Amino acid sequence: MTALTLSTAGAATLRADALVIGVAKGAKGPVVAPGAEAVDKAFDGKLAAVLDALGAGGAEGEVTKLPAPAGLKVPVVIAVGLGSEPEKNESFDEEALRRAAGAAARALHGAKKAAFALPLEDASAVTAVAEGALLGAYAFTAYQGGDKKDGKNGKQPLAEVALLGAKPRDKEHKAAVERAKIVATEVNIARDLINTPPNDLTPEAFAAVAQATAKEIGLKVQVLDEKALTKGGYGGIMGVGKGSENPPRLVKISYTHPKAEKSLAFVGKGITYDSGGISLKPAGHNETMKCDMSGAAAVFAAVVAAAKLGLQVNVTGWLALAENMPSGSATRPGDVLRMYSGKTVEVLNTDAEGRLVLGDALTRASEENPDAIVDVATLTGAMVLALGDRTFGIMSNDDAFRTSIHEIAEEVGEASWPMPLPADLRKTMDSPTADIANMGVRMGGGLVAGLFLQEFVGEGITWAHLDIAGPAFHEGAPYGYTPKGGTGSAVRTLVRLAERTATGDLG
Ligand code: BES
Ligand code: MN
Ligand code: ZN
């Protein structure tokens, strides 16, 4: 990953390939943001006027490249928009800083070193800029450039970021950067897993990644293979996975802290490819379905981040991994599965597979009696229709917990919205044959799925469900620190939730 350092050098003295500065939207045109004073001086104090003449007004997402004047040790200055200038005594919005740093890092793909001179008023601004730069620099190049003689795959991400204006000896600033590095690294690892094509990232391969990482950083890991899953009665996971040549896995990966007072369970939907099964998805709906393990990727990344941060809380990740394929051995619409909980499910649509693997994992996670369970899943197209492709839905059996997660997501710059679990929709999943069907009414399909999951959560356990079907995989043009493809949605929210649980500060 991109290297990140705190530098005490002045903006005019540091040698780099480019210098990144901020420009805000002022009442009378662009305003040069704090941190870029020396750069403005090199422009004879006319930087704002130059930007104005170039049509740069400071809007979010704006990236303007300027040739550097004599007096700077860089060839290019990159001015990134920060949105409206904050009122007196207020600071720049953290998410605006994160996105601006990300946009700059994206504009610097292929470069070696860039200095970032954005406004860093406090430690949280340092975290935001550091995270934005490291997330924006991300590129998935593992499968590109295979025919090149130098063996270099595609255009490489910006190699080095020097943050100017932070205080390298300040404890808080140092911690802010360390946290940003860990979180961004893990978000990028989730992105890599999501982007890895499904012929390579099978359930077995994903489990092997978890095992290798666990070994490396000293986490406990346990993998149930198809034999153990059958023996254990995991009818949901087996029912989804048995149509594939690539058998399913249930991975348990746990981080424990000797002084932990609370425990969290994160449960991730890990469908490494969702063809729909016998209820096959039509063309146009299956091209991006390698992303259907984004929940498991987020859970895995969050557990590893919690461990690397040394949080005083126990966090267990459950990855419900299976490939949903049609074949002679696949579950049919009409089949009845016996779930790990003992409940029977009539499978009416094999494309509603996420709730089947999650049902088993939720029951299993409940057996350990954690203080809360959060599941993360690309569960329904209905949630994408409801909230669009940048916002995830939050459902919960506890209104206060749902509100906490919503606020935490907002704090870390992830868009989310609380959604209800209307009890009346439960009866639309009534089955004449089994205890429940895996489908109900189409209207409110995301909530129906949430109600299905709720049936598998242990009595009295606080639980929330994040449906990330919209934001998990970005198909449009990159923006801010969000690339095309896997985004790492929910990782930052889960990590902050673990931090808040560790400090007993859930709001
Ligand atoms: N993995 C899909 C949901 C999805 C859709 C994720 C779009 C990301 C983008 C899920 O398994 C699915 O197919 N859900 C069905 C459920 C239906 C059959 C009840 C859906 O939403 O159409
Ligand atoms: Mn499906
Ligand atoms: Zn799916």
Side-chain angles (χ1 to χ4, degrees):
M1 199 175 65
T2 308
L4 187 118
T5 51
L6 293 186
S7 171
T8 46
T13 56
L14 194 82
R15 213 170 278 282
D17 298 323
L19 182 58
V20 175
I21 61 162
V23 49
K25 233 163 51 186
K28 296 187 220 97
V31 178
V32 177
E37 293 80 4
V39 182
D40 190 22
K41 212 163 147 201
F43 275 92
D44 291 329
K46 296 189 183 104
L47 183 50
V50 171
L51 287 166
D52 200 18
L54 285 169
E60 279 192 43
E62 195 180 82
V63 175
T64 311
K65 294 188 181 177
L66 306 145
L72 296 182
K73 298 246 172 6
V74 293
V76 190
V77 171
I78 298 184
V80 287
L82 293 171
S84 297
E85 190 184 22
E87 304 283 322
K88 280 242 161 344
N89 301 324
E90 294 205 359
S91 19
F92 281 94
D93 177 62
E94 277 171 41
E95 178 63 2
L97 287 173
R98 197 183 280 109
R99 289 188 187 200
R106 274 195 299 108
L108 283 158
H109 273 315
K112 287 232 156 53
K113 178 172 180 177
F116 280 55
L118 291 171
L120 297 180
E121 257 176 34
D122 51 22
S124 41
V126 173
T127 305
V129 170
E131 271 182 15
L134 296 176
L135 293 172
Y138 175 83
F140 185 67
T141 57
Y143 291 79
Q144 288 170 341
D147 55 350
K148 293 213 189 92
K149 286 197 194 72
D150 65 0
K152 271 246 152 74
N153 299 329
K155 210 175 191 186
Q156 296 302 305
L158 170 63
E160 190 186 340
V161 170
L163 281 196
L164 307 184
K167 305 182 197 117
R169 271 169 289 278
D170 179 311
K171 253 199 188 147
E172 273 188 47
H173 283 206
K174 244 164 89 178
V177 170
E178 282 321 302
R179 182 186 182 281
K181 278 186 188 172
I182 290 171
V183 172
T185 300
E186 296 313 318
V187 171
N188 286 340
I189 280 174
R191 290 171 171 182
D192 277 347
L193 287 165
I194 298 162
N195 291 329
T196 301
N199 53 335
D200 281 346
L201 195 85
T202 59
E204 188 183 10
F206 195 154
V209 170
Q211 274 170 319
T213 304
K215 192 165 171 201
E216 192 187 312
I217 64 173
L219 296 181
K220 256 179 78 180
V221 65
Q222 190 185 48
V223 178
L224 300 187
D225 63 10
E226 68 274 27
K227 266 197 198 142
L229 288 166
T230 305
K231 201 167 160 222
Y234 294 85
I237 297 174
M238 282 312 297
V240 172
K242 75 193 187 57
S244 170
E245 297 278 336
N246 301 304
R249 296 284 184 272
L250 176 63
V251 177
K252 176 189 183 186
I253 180 164
S254 9
Y255 161 67
T256 54
H257 188 285
K259 291 198 197 124
E261 285 170 11
K262 298 267 178 198
S263 59
L264 286 171
F266 295 156
V267 176
K269 170 175 174 182
I271 302 299
T272 58
Y273 184 70
D274 182 12
S275 72
I278 298 293
S279 316
L280 194 62
K281 284 181 189 295
H285 291 262
N286 52 21
E287 293 82 354
T288 59
M289 277 304 139
K290 66 175 181 182
C291 82
D292 216 18
M293 35 55 72
S294 297
V299 163
F300 169 65
V303 174
V304 174
K308 289 188 176 170
L309 290 166
L311 304 182
Q312 195 177 324
V313 57
N314 294 337
V315 187
T316 303
W318 299 90
L319 319 179
L321 308 173
E323 188 179 43
N324 189 22
M325 294 291 268
S327 78
S329 62
T331 291
R332 317 155 187 78
D335 279 357
V336 172
L337 305 175
R338 184 172 294 278
M339 302 285 283
Y340 181 70
S341 74
K343 256 195 188 106
T344 55
V345 178
E346 182 177 15
V347 177
L348 294 180
N349 189 323
T350 62
D351 199 11
E353 83 297 339
R355 60 198 76 182
L356 298 172
V357 300
L358 287 172
D360 278 356
L362 284 168
T363 307
R364 179 64 191 86
S366 299
E367 283 177 357
E368 320 224 322
N369 229 351
D371 290 297
I373 301 181
V374 179
D375 79 68
V376 187
T378 47
L379 203 60
T380 65
M383 198 53 59
V384 192
L385 290 176
L387 296 178
D389 64 1
R390 294 189 183 186
T391 304
F392 63 78
I394 313 169
M395 281 148 268
S396 176
N397 58 5
D398 179 324
D399 288 354
F401 190 53
R402 190 189 56 219
T403 303
S404 292
I405 293 184
H406 177 52
E407 287 170 359
I408 283 168
E410 164 91 34
E411 208 177 282
V412 297
E414 293 203 286
S416 71
W417 204 252
M419 300 295 275
L421 289 170
D424 59 288
L425 291 177
R426 165 62 184 85
K427 62 178 176 295
T428 72
M429 291 181 285
D430 282 351
S431 157
T433 316
D435 296 327
I436 190 170
N438 78 331
M439 241 184 80
V441 277
R442 203 168 73 88
M443 299 295 168
L447 321 179
V448 172
L451 284 163
F452 182 95
L453 296 182
Q454 187 170 18
E455 300 267 323
F456 297 89
V457 176
E459 194 69 34
I461 297 182
T462 303
W463 156 79
H465 158 55
L466 314 185
D467 190 338
I468 61 167
F473 197 81
H474 184 57
E475 292 185 67
Y479 64 94
Y481 52 84
T482 304
K484 252 188 183 324
T487 61
S489 174
V491 175
R492 288 182 286 143
T493 297
L494 293 179
V495 172
R496 180 58 62 92
L497 173 65
E499 288 176 327
R500 290 289 197 89
T501 307
T503 54
D505 182 23
L506 261 183

